[in-house]
Amino acid sequence: MTAYIFEFIGTGMLLLLGNGIVANAVLKGTKGSDSGWVGISLAWGIAVFTGVFISADISGAHLNPAVTLGLASAGKFGWSLVPGYMLAQALGAMTGTTLVWLTYKKQYDATQDQEALRATFCTSPAIRNPFWNFVTEVIGTFALVFGVFYIAGGTVSDQPISLGSLDALPVALLVMGIGFSLGGPTGYAINPARDLGPRIMHALLPLKGKGGSDWSYAWVPILGPLTGGFLAALAFLWIGG
């Protein structure tokens, strides 16, 4: 249970700081409206660093179902733990983004732009084309999970790969790099829990004039990252780990 709790805490912190920068950048009446894409990418890197540093030594700091699936597919994590990890990640994401809403409650009340409101919860594409949006998420998540294999050790053995707290910085830099280089087409979900949990909260929370939660797109930031994580595991095993 301790590992599940720290996956919950780490993912919650990831979303609190990550979606917090988006809220600061796009909501009406904040002092961070000039943050832009650079600020968003930097802050998401810091969010990853914080979440990983807190949880790495206890849960391995997956914080992402695509990472969990990738590690399990490579034989580095027990399949019996996968459902619990993914549930903890989703609940953590829901909690973290709810804290963002509480923090920016008056700014949410003042914002009438439905796309801006939804952007503080979940991702949406710059140019909507589900197939190519899916491809983008696959590639971005492949880069993330493939990198994690080597940051976390890069060997195949009987012991599961587990990120230590000292690996928080390289993982954060990797996510920051993905944001700068590959994030433009879809907003780089690269994490099913990061998108699905907050999208659920967008649907549930009493946001004024929020509009729809764009469920027709929701499969892309779920299946794209899971596919990318699985392909990264296959590539890692094929190369020889």
Side-chain angles (χ1 to χ4, degrees):
M1 287 302 298
T2 302
Y4 296 145
I5 290 170
F6 272 83
E7 277 296 293
F8 170 85
I9 293 172
T11 311
M13 187 64 71
L14 170 68
L15 268 294
L16 172 61
L17 300 181
N19 273 353
I21 177 58
V22 181
N24 199 17
V26 305
L27 293 180
K28 183 177 181 181
T30 76
K31 295 189 176 183
S33 59
D34 59 348
S35 301
W37 191 255
V38 171
I40 289 172
S41 295
L42 288 172
W44 270 105
I46 294 169
V48 169
F49 174 84
T50 306
V52 170
F53 196 89
I54 288 172
S55 59
D57 292 336
I58 306 299
S59 72
H62 298 186
L63 314 186
N64 182 341
V67 172
T68 300
L69 177 64
L71 293 175
S73 298
K76 311 303 295 181
F77 187 71
W79 281 104
S80 63
L81 297 175
V82 169
Y85 262 57
M86 289 187 175
L87 178 60
Q89 292 154 2
L91 293 175
M94 294 169 72
T95 302
T97 207
T98 300
L99 293 175
V100 173
W101 172 68
L102 292 172
T103 301
Y104 285 92
K105 178 62 168 64
K106 301 309 293 183
Q107 283 74 26
Y108 276 105
D109 290 345
T111 302
Q112 298 178 343
D113 185 336
Q114 293 180 354
E115 290 190 9
L117 289 172
R118 191 171 62 244
T120 67
F121 288 86
C122 51
T123 63
S124 61
I127 298 174
R128 186 175 294 260
N129 184 302
F131 173 77
W132 290 109
N133 301 151
F134 174 82
V135 170
T136 296
E137 288 292 332
V138 169
I139 293 171
T141 312
F142 179 95
L144 170 64
V145 177
F146 193 73
V148 163
F149 275 118
Y150 287 94
I151 292 169
T155 60
V156 176
S157 68
D158 292 334
Q159 298 298 319
I161 288 178
S162 178
L163 289 171
S165 57
L166 292 178
D167 298 314
L169 182 57
V171 173
L173 291 173
L174 175 57
V175 172
M176 194 182 303
I178 291 170
F180 281 126
S181 60
L182 304 174
T186 61
Y188 69 117
I190 60 174
N191 182 339
R194 171 264 175 275
D195 194 274
L196 178 60
R199 196 179 297 270
I200 291 172
M201 295 314 301
H202 178 270
L204 295 178
L205 289 172
L207 299 165
K208 295 181 179 179
K210 62 182 175 181
S213 301
D214 196 12
W215 288 106
S216 64
Y217 179 76
W219 68 273
V220 172
I222 296 174
L223 296 184
L226 290 175
T227 303
F230 178 70
L231 292 176
L234 293 183
F236 177 75
L237 293 173
W238 178 68
I239 290 171

